[in-house]
């Protein structure tokens, strides 16, 4: 879908799942995050959660009487994070998506079609980007939507735990020659740690971006 959108200059819209087929298995916050952030790594610009009100299955955000279910606060939290990222994200358009570190996770490779994973990513001024644990990252490569600015951006989704079974804190490292570099996440500004030889690192949790 992302390839088709890039090729024909159309927007990528996506319908992630907030409800569940089984009443005892409502999607967790991290499962919601994975759906949203992995789609955004492919350039998605519109998310329409299903099902907010009564449709099919169960654990919809609102029940038949209009009462909030257990999914309401989860979705509110994830949508709040996306809303905070949106102004930065929408300044750029997605031109490619790379599977970084997927070769070290055989189970994650099931999500990959014909695209070959890479051990680290080079994109414009960003070099050798990878997770310190070498596990899966979905990385959207982005250029400005307007103007001829030389600013570039990466959208990094920690894609190591899509089923929310082993969430952990991770570290992403990269090199960059730019003197002005900033990072943002679903909770606001992300502090970059400057290491030797133009290398930076930042923390990220599984399923976050």
């Amino acid at each position: 879908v992302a390839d088709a959108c890039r090729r024909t200059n159309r927007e990528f819209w996506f319908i992630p799942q907030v409800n569940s087929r089984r009443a005892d298995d409502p999607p967790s916050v991290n499962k919601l995050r994975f759906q949203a952030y992995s789609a955004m790594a492919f350039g998605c610009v519109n998310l329409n959660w299903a099902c907010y009100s009564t449709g099919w299955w169960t654990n919809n955000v609102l029940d038949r009487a209009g009462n909030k279910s257990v999914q309401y606060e989860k979705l509110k939290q994830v949508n709040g994070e996306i809303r905070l990222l949106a102004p930065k994200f929408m300044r750029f358009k997605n031109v490619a998506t790379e599977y970084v570190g997927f070769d070290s996770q055989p189970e994650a490779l099931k999500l990959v079609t014909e695209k070959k994973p890479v051990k680290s990513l080079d994109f414009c001024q960003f070099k050798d980007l990878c997770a310190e644990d070498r596990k899966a990252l979905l990385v959207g490569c982005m250029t400005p939507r307007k103007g001829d600015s030389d600013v570039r951006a990466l959208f990094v989704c920690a894609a190591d735990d899509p089923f929310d079974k082993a969430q952990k804190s991770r570290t992403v490292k990269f090199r960059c020659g730019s003197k002005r570099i900033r990072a943002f996440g679903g909770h606001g500004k992300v502090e970059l740690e400057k290491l030797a030889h133009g290398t930076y690192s930042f923390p990220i949790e599984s399923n976050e971006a």
Side-chain angles (χ1 to χ4, degrees):
V1 173
D3 288 342
C5 288
R6 297 181 194 115
R7 186 174 63 249
T8 59
N9 197 31
R10 286 182 288 183
E11 290 186 345
F12 179 9
W13 292 22
F14 177 61
I15 303 175
Q17 181 180 343
V18 64
N19 65 352
S20 60
R21 190 168 187 173
R22 285 172 34 200
D24 63 346
D25 188 28
S28 65
V29 168
N30 276 327
K31 287 182 179 179
L32 301 184
R33 281 187 179 125
F34 179 80
Q35 293 179 82
Y37 291 147
S38 61
M40 291 169 71
F42 283 95
C44 177
V45 297
N46 190 304
L47 295 164
N48 294 279
W49 295 94
C51 289
Y52 195 90
S53 55
T54 303
W56 60 84
W57 297 350
T58 186
N59 288 317
N60 300 295
V61 179
L62 302 180
D63 66 17
R64 290 185 183 279
N67 300 310
K68 298 172 184 176
S69 77
V70 293
Q71 296 306 95
Y72 181 88
E73 290 299 329
K74 298 177 190 177
L75 186 59
K76 180 180 177 181
Q77 180 179 343
V78 174
N79 277 345
E81 295 173 9
I82 296 167
R83 185 75 173 175
L84 194 61
L85 272 171
K88 304 286 190 298
F89 181 81
M90 292 303 294
R91 284 181 55 200
F92 301 90
K93 65 179 180 180
N94 179 286
V95 295
T97 304
E98 299 293 342
Y99 298 89
V100 181
F102 275 72
D103 52 347
S104 69
Q105 283 190 269
E107 70 279 10
L109 278 172
K110 295 175 184 177
L111 303 174
V112 182
T113 54
E114 71 279 358
K115 186 148 189 175
K116 185 177 179 180
V118 296
K119 293 186 183 301
S120 63
L121 171 66
D122 291 348
F123 175 68
C124 297
Q125 60 263 57
F126 300 103
K127 306 294 182 185
D128 296 329
L129 183 137
C130 64
E132 207 168 53
D133 61 10
R134 296 291 176 176
K135 291 189 175 180
L137 302 173
L138 274 172
V139 184
C141 303
M142 307 179 77
T143 61
R145 289 185 180 276
K146 297 180 180 179
D148 56 358
S149 169
D150 61 356
V151 175
R152 296 293 182 267
L154 296 177
F155 186 87
V156 180
C157 170
D160 58 299
D161 185 32
F163 300 108
D164 195 20
K165 293 182 177 178
Q167 185 190 14
K168 63 179 181 177
S169 298
R170 305 176 65 197
T171 300
V172 175
K173 300 173 73 173
F174 63 95
R175 290 187 296 109
C176 185
S178 174
K179 293 181 179 179
R180 189 164 185 252
I181 181 168
R182 295 178 294 172
F184 300 90
H187 304 290
K189 187 176 180 181
V190 174
E191 293 298 329
L192 292 168
E193 182 179 357
K194 190 171 184 179
L195 308 172
H197 310 298
T199 299
Y200 296 84
S201 72
F202 62 88
I204 193 169
E205 298 284 328
S206 301
N207 297 303
E208 290 194 340

